[in-house]
Amino acid sequence: MQVFEVGGAVRDALLGRAVNDRDWVAVGATPQQLIEAGYLPVGRDFPVFLHPETREEVALARTERKTAPGYHGFAFHAAPDVSLEQDLARRDLTINAIARTADGTLIDPHGGRRDLEARLLRHVSPAFSEDPVRILRVARFAARFTDFHVAPETMALMRAMVAAGEADALVPERVWQELSRGLMEAKPSRLFDVLRDCGALTRLLPEVDRLWGVPQRADYHPEVDTGVHLMMVLDMSAHLQAPLTVRYACLGHDLGKGTTPAEVLPRHTGHEGRSVALLRAVSERLRVPTDCRELAEVVAREHGNIHRSGEFGATALVRLLDRCDAWRKPARFGEVLLACECDARGRLGLQDKPYASAPRLRAALAAGQSVDTAAVAAGAAERGARGPDVGRAIQSARGGAVAQVLGLAEDD
C-alpha cells in the first residue's frame, strides 16, 4: 500500500495559502487491510476511512462511471489495481489533480502546476461533464481564487452541460451546499459571474438572474443596473466579513425588482413585498436553513424603512423595532443592520460612506430595552388596561425613552 496526499491541500500549499484539511488516497490496498490497520470506515458511497491517529480522511484509489443523470448517477470502482493516475484522472480541475508523496515529490499528470501559475481553472478530462455539481464548484473556486479565470474550453463544456439539462438534475441540498460556500468566499460576485456566463444561473436561481438589465433610479443607485448593485452588495458583505445569514439576506433583499412592471421603471414601488414572496420560494426550493431564511425575510421587508429611519420620529422607530422583533432578538437585529449597511454601501461611489442608520437604531434599541416593561404592564393593569392596551402602554414607554435619548418628539 502507498498513501499520497492529494487535492486541495497540495494545491493550497503550492499557492502559499493556509492548509486546513488534508486528504489522502491509498493505492494498492483493500478495505479490509485498512480496517485491520486501525482505520475507521466512514464512506457511504465509496471506501473512505479516518486515519487512526490524525483522523484525516483516506480514500481508496477509485474510478467512476456515469450511470444516470445528476449528482448521484455514478458507479464507483475501488480496488488494489486502481492506479494513482487513474484516480487523479476522475477529478474535476487540474489544480485539484496533483498528488504529493511523503518525501514531497509531486505527481502532476494533468498540468495542474502549470495552470496554478497561469491562474486557470481547467477541467481534467471530458468526464468533467458527467457531474453537474462541478459547474457549481468551478463557480465557487472563482469566488475563492479571485485572480483565476475559467479556461475557455472549460466554460464551453459547462455551457454544453447546461444545454443538455445537467444543471436541472442537481438536488437542492447540493445547490445550497455549494451556494452557501460560495457566498462565504472572498468575492461572491464571481460565483454569479461564472454561473451567468455558462447559463446555469437562470436554471438554478432565475429570481436572481432576471435582475441584470433592470434599471434603478441613478440618484439612489449610481450603478443603475440592479444586478450590478446586487453583486456590489455581496462583495461588500465579504469585505465586512459578514456571516452566512447576512450574506444570504443580501442575496435576496431586492429580488422583487426583477418583477417590476416595465412601464414604471426605474422606480420600484412595493418591491419589498414582492422580494419577500420570491425569497420564500427560493428558500423553500433550496431548503435553506431557518436562521438564514428568517433573517433574509426581515431584511427584504424592512431594508427600505431602515434606510429611511433617520426621518422617523420615536413612535415610528418603536414600530420598526417591533416589526423586526428586535426586543426579543437583539443579536439578530444586529445582523439585520449589517445586511442593510452592505446594501447601502454596495453602490457606486458609496463604498466608504458611513451608514448612519445603524448607530441610530442601536441607540433606539438600547433606549427601549432600558424600559422596565413588567412595571409598565403592571401599572397599566392597575389603571384597568387589558390586552392590546397594555401593549400600547409599553410601546408608549419605549417611545418616550427613545425620544429622550435621540432628542425626538414622541409622535411622528
Side-chain angles (χ1 to χ4, degrees):
M1 181 177 71
Q2 291 179 288
V3 179
F4 301 88
E5 188 177 13
V6 293
V10 179
R11 175 201 67 220
D12 290 346
L14 291 172
L15 287 172
R17 297 168 65 100
V19 175
N20 298 315
D21 298 311
R22 298 182 185 276
D23 293 310
W24 308 81
V25 64
V27 177
T30 65
Q32 188 59 37
Q33 285 176 308
L34 288 173
I35 291 172
E36 290 175 355
Y39 289 77
L40 177 67
V42 294
R44 290 187 301 173
D45 299 322
F46 45 80
V48 178
F49 301 81
L50 296 181
H51 189 281
E53 296 177 2
T54 66
R55 315 308 282 179
E56 292 173 337
E57 286 193 358
V58 179
L60 288 185
R62 65 185 188 272
T63 59
E64 57 191 35
R65 177 173 53 86
K66 185 75 167 175
T67 58
Y71 170 66
H72 292 292
F74 290 91
F76 299 96
H77 172 67
D81 61 347
V82 176
S83 68
L84 175 65
E85 287 72 15
Q86 287 175 302
D87 182 272
L88 295 176
R90 66 170 181 80
R91 296 175 182 268
D92 52 3
L93 299 174
T94 60
I95 63 172
N96 297 329
I98 309 170
R100 182 164 54 189
T101 64
D103 64 5
T105 301
L106 295 178
I107 301 169
D108 181 21
H110 304 288
R113 292 190 71 185
R114 173 201 63 210
D115 287 341
L116 283 174
E117 293 172 0
R119 297 300 194 255
L120 276 180
L121 302 172
R122 188 196 309 274
H123 63 285
V124 170
S125 76
F128 177 98
S129 64
E130 296 177 350
D131 185 356
V133 171
R134 290 174 170 175
I135 296 173
L136 290 164
R137 281 175 56 82
V138 170
R140 175 164 61 82
F141 283 130
R144 178 186 301 178
F145 303 120
T146 58
D147 57 344
F148 278 62
H149 299 279
V150 181
E153 60 270 32
T154 301
M155 180 58 71
L157 186 57
M158 290 164 62
R159 290 172 182 156
M161 292 168 67
V162 173
E166 280 287 341
D168 301 324
L170 284 164
V171 297
E173 292 83 357
R174 284 313 303 268
V175 175
W176 171 248
Q177 181 182 40
E178 296 296 330
L179 175 64
S180 61
R181 294 177 71 181
L183 286 172
M184 293 304 296
E185 297 291 4
K187 194 168 185 180
S189 63
R190 300 199 75 218
L191 170 88
F192 296 92
D193 290 343
V194 171
L195 293 179
R196 283 188 72 221
D197 198 0
C198 72
L201 190 61
T202 189
R203 308 302 306 167
L204 301 174
L205 284 171
E207 301 87 351
V208 175
D209 185 69
R210 66 168 67 105
L211 294 176
W212 276 269
V214 176
Q216 305 177 94
R217 289 176 55 182
D219 49 341
Y220 290 114
H221 289 276
E223 69 285 351
V224 179
D225 189 285
T226 306
V228 172
H229 165 62
L230 176 58
M231 296 301 99
M232 295 177 70
V233 173
L234 288 175
D235 287 345
M236 180 57 66
S237 74
H239 174 69
L240 297 179
Q241 298 182 322
L244 176 61
T245 46
V246 170
R247 299 193 194 198
Y248 181 66
C250 289
L251 177 65
H253 81 285
D254 267 352
L255 294 182
K257 291 182 177 179
T259 61
T260 299
E263 61 270 19
V264 302
L265 293 173
R267 297 181 180 274
H268 292 276
T269 305
H271 79 276
E272 295 90 351
R274 298 193 303 275
S275 295
V276 171
L278 290 165
L279 186 57
R280 285 176 179 166
V282 171
S283 297
E284 186 67 27
R285 186 171 74 242
L286 298 184
R287 301 174 190 174
V288 174
T290 301
D291 58 343
C292 288
R293 68 169 70 190
E294 289 185 349
L295 180 75
E297 288 185 20
V298 174
V299 172
R301 187 183 69 241
E302 299 293 346
H303 67 277
N305 290 322
I306 290 173
H307 293 333
R308 293 187 294 271
S309 62
E311 307 165 8
F312 291 2
T315 302
L317 288 173
V318 169
R319 288 201 298 261
L320 173 59
L321 293 168
D322 283 344
R323 292 195 303 273
C324 293
D325 204 8
W327 314 112
R328 291 194 316 122
K329 300 179 179 179
R332 190 185 74 173
F333 185 64
E335 293 192 344
V336 171
L337 293 180
L338 180 54
C340 290
E341 180 177 356
C342 294
D343 180 31
R345 294 174 59 185
R347 308 180 194 209
L348 190 64
L350 301 179
Q351 295 91 333
D352 298 320
K353 184 178 180 180
Y355 185 54
S357 293
R360 189 169 187 268
L361 284 169
R362 289 192 190 99
L365 177 61
Q369 287 175 319
S370 70
V371 172
D372 186 343
T373 56
V376 172
E382 287 179 3
R383 295 190 298 272
R386 297 290 184 271
D389 289 336
V390 174
R392 281 189 282 272
I394 292 174
Q395 273 196 325
S396 178
R398 283 171 168 162
V402 170
Q404 183 177 11
V405 167
L406 296 183
L408 301 171
E410 291 189 33
D411 58 19
D412 294 335

